[in-house]
Structure formats: structure tokens, C-alpha cells
Amino acid sequence: MIRDLNRGILLEGVDVLLPWDTPKDKLQNIGNPILQESSDRFQLYWNEHIVFGGIKTQVKAVFYKSIKNSADHPNANGKLHIVNLNFYPIEELKPREQYEHLKTDFIQILGTPSPERKIETKPFDQPFTEWELPSALVVLMVFERFGEHCVGEIWHKPLPAWRKPKS
């Protein structure tokens, strides 16, 4: 699980590793993702998988067609450096309740998070937690877009300068 983050993202239920630095074309053949293409991006979705010892999620990797500089987006060079985690609803929990539930699970698996901060966008005050690990940055947050959603990110290091956590 956690030890695999230095190599990639482990889809535990099927025991498939999505290795970091793998080109998009090769990722399309690992773990049977769904490919969605639009005018500006390719998106790969691995639906209903287990990560971190029991958390059910959709794993998503986005590759932009026109962005070629990894300083702008970590997957811009066409290789895997970041994935998004879209968590499935837990019972009747609202997104902020789901965040608190998952945060407890993440702490058990990943240990103590980095100092907590909130994304302060008026009128919202969205919870945001990071785990600074040797080979990855793991993020759990509530994101607002047409309503709130509990989501996550896993960034392979080294991080782009703009994304490094503030000390």
C-alpha cells in the first residue's frame, strides 16, 4: 500500500500497479481504464478500485494536449506524475462528513498529516489536509464545483515549485 507510493498507485483489489513516469499510451493498457478524450485533454479512469487498504475510489489521470511544460501541469510531459481520487459516497454522509471519515482512515494508514490548513474562498471555507511523504504528497480535501465533493490527489515527487507545501 503505502510502500508502493514510491513506485506508483496500487489498485489493491486487482493487484495492479499504475507506475509513476509511465507514458499515457502504456497506461491505457494497465488495469483496463476508461479513456475519455476531448479537444484539449485525455482522461483515464480506473473505476471502483481500492486504495490505501480499503478505500473505494475512482482513480483518474488527466493529460492535457496543449500543455507541454510540467511546470504548468505535472502530467504535461505525457507521463504519470499525479492522479485524482474521486471517492464514492459513504452511506448518507455529506462531503464534509465524508472528509472527516476519510481523514481518520488516512491518518491510520499514512500517519500524522502535515500541518492542516483550509482553502479560504469566500464564502466557502473548505477543509484540506496533506500528507508529506518521502516519495509522494497525498491530499484530501473538499472541493466546490456545482456543490461540494470530497476528493483526493496523489502527487509523485519532485513536486512542481508552485505546488510545494508552504512552510
Side-chain angles (χ1 to χ4, degrees):
M1 296 185 291
I2 187 74
R3 68 186 179 283
D4 293 312
L5 281 179
N6 64 339
R7 299 183 314 136
I9 307 303
L10 181 62
L11 305 178
E12 295 168 13
V14 292
D15 198 30
V16 170
L17 184 73
L18 305 176
W20 297 123
D21 296 318
T22 301
K24 174 190 65 71
D25 295 340
K26 288 187 180 179
L27 278 174
Q28 290 177 223
N29 299 316
I30 300 174
N32 198 28
I34 295 170
L35 171 64
Q36 183 180 37
E37 184 177 354
S38 64
S39 61
D40 67 336
R41 69 188 78 180
F42 295 98
Q43 298 180 101
L44 295 172
Y45 296 92
W46 291 267
N47 292 326
E48 297 189 31
H49 284 286
I50 304 297
V51 297
F52 298 147
I55 298 171
K56 189 175 182 180
T57 187
Q58 175 194 67
V59 177
K60 177 174 91 171
V62 179
F63 299 89
Y64 292 93
K65 295 178 179 179
S66 61
I67 299 174
K68 301 299 181 199
N69 184 347
S70 61
D72 294 327
H73 188 274
N75 290 347
N77 67 358
K79 296 180 180 179
L80 187 65
H81 295 283
I82 179 177
V83 295
N84 301 92
L85 304 175
N86 297 315
F87 302 109
Y88 295 100
I90 299 174
E91 301 162 3
E92 298 296 320
L93 296 181
K94 295 178 180 172
R96 289 175 188 247
E97 295 168 334
Q98 183 178 18
Y99 166 87
E100 292 298 333
H101 178 85
L102 287 170
K103 181 178 165 188
T104 300
D105 292 345
F106 276 44
I107 288 171
Q108 289 178 345
I109 296 157
L110 303 172
T112 303
S114 305
E116 195 160 340
R117 63 189 175 97
K118 293 186 183 222
I119 298 174
E120 296 181 13
T121 308
K122 303 293 181 199
F124 306 104
D125 187 20
Q126 297 157 317
F128 182 96
T129 304
E130 296 176 324
W131 285 263
E132 183 81 34
L133 305 172
S135 60
L137 177 70
V138 178
V139 178
L140 178 66
M141 65 183 153
V142 173
F143 176 78
E144 199 286 321
R145 181 173 172 135
F146 309 115
E148 290 189 336
H149 307 276
C150 182
V151 298
E153 299 172 337
I154 304 174
W155 297 71
H156 182 237
K157 291 183 175 180
L159 299 173
W162 64 269
R163 184 54 190 91
K164 291 181 181 173
K166 311 283 187 273
S167 316

